[in-house]
């Protein structure tokens, strides 16, 4: 079975600094999507950023960017200029394209932002 | 607006009772998923359905049951066989291409 691994249960960053959250995955597929979701205390799942596996260019959304290494099956999230509102649980997710059987989440990384 | 609606948001269950969590979507998606999340933990897959009248067990299906009689509905029943049901439950549905995953707002279940 395909797996998604987040090796950092907790991370901490100083406000305005940069932090990188790690994610690795295992798949035999060539076409898939990778996601980072943010889950604040409200428990609502909020999409942070999405990467299509066929695209070589790393996705960027304002202060959030990814480092997608397809051969290494690595998908890290970089948060620049961290803000207090970034404090949350972050989940890495994998979804095979056109395959409803295959959608997996990592165990999550709890990010704390220090003022 | 298209989306996923879960109800109730908060539910209390007595020991030995079965309870059903509702998940409804108006996205016209085929696939629907149920996840369980314990405090400070990740999402664990309970059941998923690829299409109407079909569903498959996930990683932690014991003590749970589902049905998929209609495309828009995927209710989850937490049976009395589930010994530790207190958790947060999330319903999700990806679109066909897989580039978007929609989530409900979740349901909190507490055993009293």
């Amino acid at each position: 079975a395909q797996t998604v691994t987040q090796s950092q249960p907790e991370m901490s960053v100083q406000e305005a600094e940069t932090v990188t959250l790690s994610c690795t995955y295992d798949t035999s597929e060539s076409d898939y999507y990778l996601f980072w979701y943010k889950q604040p205390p409200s428990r609502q799942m909020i999409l942070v950023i999405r990467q299509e596996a066929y695209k070589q260019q790393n996705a960027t959304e304002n202060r959030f960017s990814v480092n997608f290494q397809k051969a290494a099956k690595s998908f890290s999230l970089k948060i620049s200029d961290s803000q207090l509102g970034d404090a949350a649980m972050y989940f890495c997710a994998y979804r095979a394209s056109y395959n409803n059987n295959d959608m997996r989440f990592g165990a999550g990384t709890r990010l704390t932002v220090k003022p | 607006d298209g989306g996923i609606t879960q109800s109730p948001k908060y539910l209390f269950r007595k020991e030995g009772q079965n309870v059903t969590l509702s998940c409804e979507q108006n996205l016209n998606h085929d696939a629907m998923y149920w996840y369980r999340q314990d405090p400070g933990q990740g999402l664990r897959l309970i059941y998923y359905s690829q299409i109407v009248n079909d569903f498959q067990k996930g990683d932690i299906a014991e003590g749970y049951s589902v049905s998929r009689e209609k495309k828009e509905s995927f209710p989850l029943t937490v049976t009395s066989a589930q010994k530790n049901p207190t958790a947060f439950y999330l319903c999700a549905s990806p679109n066909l291409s897989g580039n978007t995953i929609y989530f409900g707002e979740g349901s909190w279940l507490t055993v009293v």
Side-chain angles (χ1 to χ4, degrees):
Chain A
Q2 280 78 346
T3 58
V4 177
T5 302
Q6 292 179 248
S7 59
Q8 306 153 316
E10 295 183 356
M11 289 287 284
S12 179
V13 63
Q14 203 72 33
E15 193 176 6
E17 297 292 310
T18 296
V19 64
T20 298
L21 308 184
S22 301
C23 174
T24 59
Y25 58 96
D26 177 36
T27 184
S28 56
E29 302 282 344
S30 59
D31 194 14
Y32 50 88
Y33 293 92
L34 296 164
F35 307 84
W36 278 100
Y37 277 91
K38 172 184 177 181
Q39 189 184 46
S42 69
R43 297 288 184 131
Q44 179 68 42
M45 296 289 277
I46 301 166
L47 177 65
V48 175
I49 201 165
R50 172 177 60 211
Q51 175 79 43
E52 292 91 338
Y54 64 86
K55 289 187 177 180
Q56 292 186 337
Q57 186 174 6
N58 290 325
T60 300
E61 288 288 341
N62 301 314
R63 297 183 295 108
F64 299 88
S65 62
V66 299
N67 183 4
F68 173 49
Q69 302 289 328
K70 191 172 184 179
K73 296 179 183 175
S74 171
F75 183 60
S76 61
L77 174 69
K78 186 171 81 170
I79 306 174
S80 304
D81 185 25
S82 297
Q83 300 175 0
L84 296 178
D86 294 334
M89 196 79 163
Y90 286 82
F91 291 99
C92 178
Y94 162 96
R95 169 76 162 93
S97 300
Y98 301 101
N99 181 351
N100 287 334
N101 286 349
D102 198 1
M103 188 166 81
R104 295 281 173 173
F105 291 84
T109 297
R110 182 170 300 284
L111 178 66
T112 303
V113 180
K114 297 178 180 177
Chain B
D1 288 342
I4 297 178
T5 302
Q6 286 187 241
S7 63
K9 189 166 180 65
Y10 299 96
L11 185 60
F12 297 90
R13 190 194 93 168
K14 293 182 179 179
E15 296 275 356
Q17 268 187 340
N18 292 355
V19 292
T20 297
L21 307 180
S22 171
C23 177
E24 303 280 329
Q25 54 106 349
N26 60 2
L27 302 163
N28 200 33
H29 288 178
D30 287 316
M32 298 182 75
Y33 291 72
W34 272 108
Y35 293 91
R36 170 180 170 143
Q37 187 179 24
D38 292 285
Q41 303 296 316
L43 306 179
R44 292 189 290 168
L45 182 62
I46 306 172
Y47 267 97
Y48 65 96
S49 170
Q50 300 179 67
I51 200 166
V52 175
N53 293 322
D54 179 73
F55 48 82
Q56 305 296 328
K57 292 181 179 180
D59 301 321
I60 55 164
E62 185 175 353
Y64 299 96
S65 66
V66 293
S67 63
R68 189 80 189 278
E69 298 176 359
K70 298 186 295 182
K71 189 175 187 178
E72 58 269 25
S73 180
F74 190 41
L76 174 73
T77 296
V78 185
T79 75
S80 56
Q82 170 52 241
K83 298 306 179 188
N84 185 23
T86 295
F88 184 68
Y89 292 85
L90 267 171
C91 182
S93 178
N95 61 358
L96 180 61
S97 69
N99 68 355
T100 305
I101 305 172
Y102 295 82
F103 289 91
E105 294 189 345
S107 293
W108 286 95
L109 174 62
T110 303
V111 174
V112 297

